[in-house]
Amino acid sequence: MVKPECINKVLENLNNGMKNYKAEFLIGLIDVNEDSYYELLNFTGALIKKETYVLRDEKSAIISISLVLFAIREFQNGQFWNEFATRLDLDEAEAMKIGKKTFEEFCKKNGLYFHVGNKNKGYVTSILTHAILPNASMAKFFEFLHDLYFRDLEEDYIDAEVEELIQYMHRLFSKYLEDDDISLIVQGSKMTIANQQLPKAFRIAFVKAASVVAPIIERLLYYINQSNYGDVIEYLENDRFDTYFEHSSYIVKERFSKSSNRKHGVERVKKFQKAQYYFEQGKLYLQIPKQIIDSDYIENDIFIEVLNDNSIIHREKVLLTKSRLFFKSEQTIVFLPAFYSELSFRLVSRHEVIYTSGDALYREFIIFDLDGNEIRPKQLTDDTVKVVTYAECEVLSDDAQIDSSYMANYRALAKMLYPLKL
């Protein structure tokens, strides 16, 4: 049997991928059309049956690619070697023997990922890792992403929050790399990520080839966000993940319409993301947003402490809420009895500080709009503002009317117009 010309192109793509991605290259990144896929499988069957011959390295590459592409396109999450052998009309024992040996040698020789578990070598796990995600698992995977978007990201795509999500997933998956399912229990509540919804091999691919897999998740969440708000989806890669999203009416239409209350044209609500001050009826408050709590700490009581110059002025226990993947602290509003120029807050688990705001809240003065929301000096316009600072501070302004009122150790100055000098 003569080697089909299309296989040379597949091998060229393989070599280019290994060159570009090096150790993080996953064979499943290779994309072939239907005709090329069938010719590749037929030729692989002939190689295993010894009906045709090529150089040893080339044979190893062709068989390895066929194993991964079969896992993507036709594997139904059953008995891999039985399904593969049946598809190529091979003896199962022979297909498994040659397939295992060839795939391991190919990966190790080319510096690609090969899974070695705590007890055994994971041949099928390695193949599925290189597949990233079989098409048979796509529906459950998209359900998981849908839950991430609506429950963890709270129906919005904000770069910083998506990046935080990706980093958390990497830490979580790294801890449970050998587990089929991920199960966490906190405050009597159980959270399970089943292998059927987020396969172990996908989690391994995410951890071992983050530069390849993380952008796929980010991109799909971006599409979900566009669909949620009725925007025209701008497909960025046109790979099999994009194709599945585009043609999945269940995911894009019915599931969104049931789970989201938003409608086309509805203005997006700006979410409170960072700790900031709030001023209402002459009283000063600190608003602390939800914080992601790492799975290492969810079994312990967690406290929030507000400090001024390292002295605790407020402490309270934090309640945790469970979303799809995260545990988060509830948003907290703390009344401040005085003005503090070196204010900070931290989250504490037992005696360990798991988060601190550092100097992000340090202020010599705080500027608010008339609704009491903090605004930064660079955001000032000609609108009337309120300024809170120490009572003894001298405040200078150009051509502005000043009304002062004193509370505790600070005063609030209203009707101050930009520009403002302190």
Side-chain angles (χ1 to χ4, degrees):
M1 182 179 182
V2 178
K3 181 178 67 175
E5 181 60 35
C6 65
I7 291 181
N8 291 327
K9 181 63 177 178
V10 172
L11 293 173
E12 180 183 347
N13 291 338
L14 172 72
N15 291 327
N16 289 336
M18 291 191 295
K19 180 179 179 180
N20 292 333
Y21 290 97
K22 298 181 171 56
E24 289 200 351
F25 178 71
L26 299 175
I27 299 171
L29 291 173
I30 297 174
D31 189 23
V32 300
N33 59 35
E34 288 293 318
D35 291 340
S36 297
Y37 172 67
Y38 293 133
E39 290 199 61
L40 183 67
L41 285 192
N42 290 337
F43 194 71
T44 296
L47 287 173
I48 294 175
K49 295 175 183 177
K50 298 182 180 180
E51 296 174 352
T52 189
Y53 297 89
V54 294
L55 295 175
R56 181 174 178 176
D57 286 349
E58 195 171 271
K59 176 182 178 180
S60 176
I62 292 171
I63 293 176
S64 297
I65 295 170
S66 293
L67 287 168
V68 172
L69 293 184
F70 173 81
I72 292 173
R73 289 171 175 255
E74 299 188 54
F75 179 51
Q76 296 300 311
N77 295 316
Q79 298 296 318
F80 180 84
W81 296 112
N82 177 267
E83 292 183 30
F84 182 73
T86 300
R87 174 64 178 82
L88 272 65
D89 192 23
L90 301 169
D91 175 74
E92 181 178 346
E94 184 70 8
M96 181 166 57
K97 177 183 175 182
I98 294 176
K100 284 183 174 182
K101 180 181 178 182
T102 300
F103 196 80
E104 181 179 7
E105 290 179 350
F106 177 80
C107 289
K108 290 184 175 180
K109 182 175 182 177
N110 291 281
L112 303 182
Y113 179 75
F114 182 83
H115 184 72
V116 179
N118 294 332
K119 297 180 180 180
N120 302 304
K121 294 178 180 179
Y123 294 98
V124 174
T125 298
S126 299
I127 293 168
L128 295 177
T129 297
H130 276 273
I132 304 175
L133 190 76
N135 289 342
S137 300
M138 280 284 199
K140 291 291 186 181
F141 174 65
F142 270 79
E143 287 181 11
F144 178 79
L145 290 181
H146 171 274
D147 287 344
L148 283 186
Y149 174 76
F150 282 95
R151 297 172 61 182
D152 293 273
L153 297 179
E154 299 178 15
E155 297 189 55
D156 213 348
Y157 187 101
I158 298 172
D159 289 341
E161 293 191 1
V162 174
E163 178 62 26
E164 189 175 24
L165 168 68
I166 294 297
Q167 292 176 1
Y168 180 84
M169 290 174 67
H170 194 278
R171 294 195 303 271
L172 184 67
F173 295 168
S174 297
K175 287 172 56 179
Y176 295 91
L177 208 58
E178 288 300 317
D179 297 337
D180 289 333
D181 299 333
I182 297 176
S183 294
L184 303 171
I185 298 177
V186 61
Q187 298 174 350
S189 180
K190 184 177 181 180
M191 180 187 74
T192 300
I193 303 173
N195 187 59
Q196 290 83 359
Q197 193 164 42
L198 201 63
K200 174 182 175 179
F202 175 85
R203 302 197 305 265
I204 295 174
F206 182 93
V207 171
K208 300 299 182 179
S211 67
V212 172
V213 181
I216 295 173
I217 296 175
E218 293 171 345
R219 171 164 39 103
L220 294 175
L221 289 171
Y222 177 68
Y223 297 159
I224 293 173
N225 187 63
Q226 286 184 304
S227 182
N228 183 40
Y229 285 98
D231 298 338
V232 176
I233 299 176
E234 302 170 1
Y235 291 102
L236 304 175
E237 294 294 336
N238 292 318
D239 59 7
R240 64 189 178 98
F241 294 97
D242 284 18
T243 300
Y244 187 90
F245 190 97
E246 183 178 11
H247 292 95
S248 178
S249 59
Y250 169 69
I251 293 293
V252 177
K253 297 177 182 178
E254 295 186 27
R255 191 164 175 81
F256 284 161
S257 64
K258 291 179 182 178
S259 300
S260 175
N261 293 323
R262 298 186 184 274
K263 297 181 180 179
H264 178 71
V266 174
E267 183 179 355
R268 306 185 187 194
V269 178
K270 183 179 180 181
K271 289 204 297 183
F272 180 51
Q273 301 170 34
K274 296 182 179 180
Q276 59 187 27
Y277 296 95
Y278 184 74
F279 192 73
E280 183 178 42
Q281 297 181 348
K283 294 182 179 180
L284 188 61
Y285 300 90
L286 176 65
Q287 296 177 315
I288 301 173
K290 297 178 180 180
Q291 305 287 326
I292 295 175
I293 306 301
D294 197 277
S295 59
D296 288 339
Y297 307 107
I298 60 177
E299 295 182 359
N300 305 322
D301 287 340
I302 296 173
F303 292 86
I304 188 166
E305 297 177 343
V306 180
L307 307 92
N308 178 53
D309 194 22
N310 295 321
S311 297
I312 298 174
I313 61 174
H314 178 85
R315 188 174 193 265
E316 66 178 90
K317 184 178 177 180
V318 174
L319 294 177
L320 300 184
T321 57
K322 182 182 73 172
S323 54
R324 185 61 188 91
L325 189 64
F326 291 154
F327 283 92
K328 294 182 180 180
S329 62
E330 288 280 14
Q331 180 171 308
T332 305
I333 299 178
V334 178
F335 168 68
L336 301 177
F339 178 82
Y340 306 99
S341 60
E342 295 186 0
L343 196 76
S344 63
F345 76 92
R346 64 192 182 192
L347 294 175
V348 179
S349 175
R350 293 185 176 177
H351 301 294
E352 184 175 357
V353 176
I354 61 177
Y355 176 84
T356 178
S357 64
D359 61 0
L361 294 167
Y362 286 13
R363 308 278 194 275
E364 292 298 328
F365 60 91
I366 312 173
I367 305 173
F368 299 96
D369 62 23
L370 293 184
D371 293 325
N373 300 307
E374 183 183 4
I375 56 177
R376 305 296 290 161
K378 291 182 180 180
Q379 298 172 318
L380 284 173
T381 64
D382 290 337
D383 294 334
T384 302
V385 297
K386 297 178 182 179
V387 177
V388 170
T389 187
Y390 284 115
E392 64 271 16
C393 287
E394 181 181 4
V395 179
L396 304 176
S397 65
D398 296 337
D399 301 325
Q401 178 184 351
I402 301 176
D403 291 336
S404 298
S405 57
Y406 293 82
M407 287 78 68
N409 69 333
Y410 63 92
R411 59 173 172 165
L413 302 99
K415 298 185 179 179
M416 298 190 63
L417 303 180
Y418 185 80
L420 172 68
K421 295 181 180 179
L422 297 176

